Amino acid sequence: MDLRVIGYFLTVAREENVTKSAQLLHISQPTLSRQLMQLEEELGVKLFKRSKHSVLLTSEGMLFRRRAQELINLADKAKSELTQQDGDLTGEIAIGCGELLSMDELSGILAEFSEIHPLVRFHIHSGYNNDIKEWLEDGTLDFGLLIEPVDIGKYDFVRMEKKEQWGALVRTDSPFAESGVIRPGDLVGTPLITVRDDQVHNALGNWSGRYASQMTPLATYNLLYNAATLVRQNMGAAVCIRLNCKYDGLCFVPFEPKLELSSVLAWKDRQSFSVTSNAFIQFLKNSKNELQ
């Protein structure tokens, strides 16, 4: 599969017009149409629904667009890594991060590393454990900030210092806000908006004990701001981590007994990394050794 043709496909998918895409790519329209048809033949599916004035992606085309963009991104990343020159460290580091208090700690590490290597660029991808692990596996990410419990058997990692305290985001006029804590059983009958992670659900289930089976799931989320909008509309309570942020009309109420989980900054074990990523790994380990 030719990366050049994949780039053609992405341009047409964006522009939804073969003639305009051919002009942007500086090739003839017949040549572009032929390349796209050959790509469809190679894949064995139709990527576009063609009409007189436009081309739209089929469901197969939409799936392939995601993978095609990943291939282009990985190719660009590989080129950047292979052209790393002696002298000042350059390059890019991609990190996946959940909404965690330990992001403050990681931000401090990135700031210190950036002072030493100002030409290195960081790409931050927001997501939760499941997203981040998938991105680590397919090579989109170099590092991932993961909340425990998580299976880290295939990763090398450093453990973050801060603990993540769990509770619920509720309206300030709710009974939970007045009581100041949430105990096992208190959330029975309240629609819950929870994070999309099975292992975290297990930890929360263990905390809830015999009441876990009586909980009422309403929705899942991976970014708390979105969950907060549901809570504000009185749709339920969002099970979440205490963060250094405020939402109008809402407040965080901690669990009692306290439920705290650790987090790790992980990377794939026994993998070849770029000079830049290797330098960051060494910096991480040295930073953690200094704290011990």
Side-chain angles (χ1 to χ4, degrees):
M1 195 176 298
D2 192 329
L3 285 174
R4 175 175 51 86
V5 177
I6 292 176
Y8 291 171
F9 162 79
L10 289 171
T11 300
V12 177
R14 183 184 70 242
E15 301 298 330
E16 299 183 347
N17 185 286
V18 175
T19 300
K20 182 178 180 181
S21 298
Q23 293 171 348
L24 291 172
L25 294 167
H26 305 292
I27 60 176
S28 68
Q29 181 178 336
T31 297
L32 178 57
S33 296
R34 184 173 63 254
Q35 297 276 17
L36 294 176
M37 291 178 64
Q38 290 174 350
L39 179 61
E40 288 179 319
E41 290 175 3
E42 182 179 357
L43 294 171
V45 296
K46 287 292 183 183
L47 298 173
F48 295 101
K49 294 178 287 188
R50 294 166 172 84
S51 67
K52 186 175 181 180
H53 300 292
S54 66
V55 290
L56 300 175
L57 290 173
T58 63
S59 58
E60 293 84 0
M62 286 187 283
L63 176 61
F64 182 67
R65 178 171 60 180
R66 177 184 173 189
R67 297 306 182 191
Q69 190 61 62
E70 290 175 356
L71 287 171
I72 295 297
N73 291 344
L74 286 173
D76 290 343
K77 182 178 177 181
K79 182 178 179 180
S80 174
E81 291 173 352
L82 292 171
T83 55
Q84 173 75 55
Q85 301 294 319
D86 294 335
D88 292 338
L89 193 66
T90 62
E92 300 175 345
I93 297 175
I95 305 175
C97 306
E99 292 182 313
L100 306 174
L101 275 182
S102 52
M103 185 60 198
D104 288 340
E105 183 181 345
L106 176 57
S107 297
I109 294 172
L110 298 184
E112 292 176 11
F113 186 81
S114 188
E115 285 186 10
I116 302 170
H117 305 292
L119 299 181
V120 174
R121 297 292 175 261
F122 297 97
H123 297 289
I124 306 300
H125 300 248
S126 296
Y128 222 73
N129 275 15
N130 292 342
D131 305 311
I132 293 170
K133 287 188 290 184
E134 179 180 339
W135 296 333
L136 282 170
E137 289 302 313
D138 67 23
T140 302
L141 296 180
D142 302 302
F143 303 90
L145 185 61
L146 300 167
I147 188 168
E148 296 184 295
V150 61
D151 181 7
I152 52 178
K154 63 174 67 174
Y155 303 115
D156 198 356
F157 64 92
V158 295
R159 181 161 279 107
M160 309 305 285
E161 299 298 320
K162 289 190 176 181
K163 301 287 187 181
E164 310 295 341
Q165 183 181 13
W166 284 86
L169 193 66
V170 301
R171 287 166 53 116
T172 53
D173 60 0
S174 76
F176 299 123
E178 183 176 350
S179 65
V181 295
I182 294 175
R183 296 181 175 85
D186 287 353
L187 291 172
V188 172
T190 299
L192 298 181
I193 305 156
T194 62
V195 294
R196 293 188 293 110
D197 186 277
D198 291 340
Q199 289 179 306
V200 171
H201 282 179
N202 291 338
L204 295 172
N206 291 335
W207 176 85
S208 301
R210 61 190 177 91
Y211 299 103
S213 61
Q214 303 175 49
M215 301 297 187
T216 307
L218 171 69
T220 62
Y221 72 92
N222 66 343
L223 294 175
L224 185 56
Y225 177 82
N226 296 331
T229 62
L230 300 181
V231 177
R232 192 174 288 117
Q233 293 299 320
N234 207 25
M235 292 182 65
V239 176
C240 64
I241 292 168
R242 182 192 292 274
L243 297 174
N244 293 326
C245 55
K246 301 292 185 182
Y247 298 98
D248 291 341
L250 307 179
C251 64
F252 176 86
V253 181
F255 288 158
E256 178 64 40
K258 185 181 293 186
L259 176 61
E260 291 185 326
L261 300 176
S262 302
S263 60
V264 296
L265 184 63
W267 57 95
K268 289 182 72 175
D269 194 15
R270 295 183 292 277
Q271 174 175 306
S272 296
F273 285 97
S274 67
V275 173
T276 304
S277 292
N278 276 324
F280 185 65
I281 289 171
Q282 192 58 52
F283 181 82
L284 278 172
K285 291 181 175 180
N286 290 341
S287 297
K288 290 299 179 181
N289 288 337
E290 290 174 3
L291 293 175
Q292 293 176 355

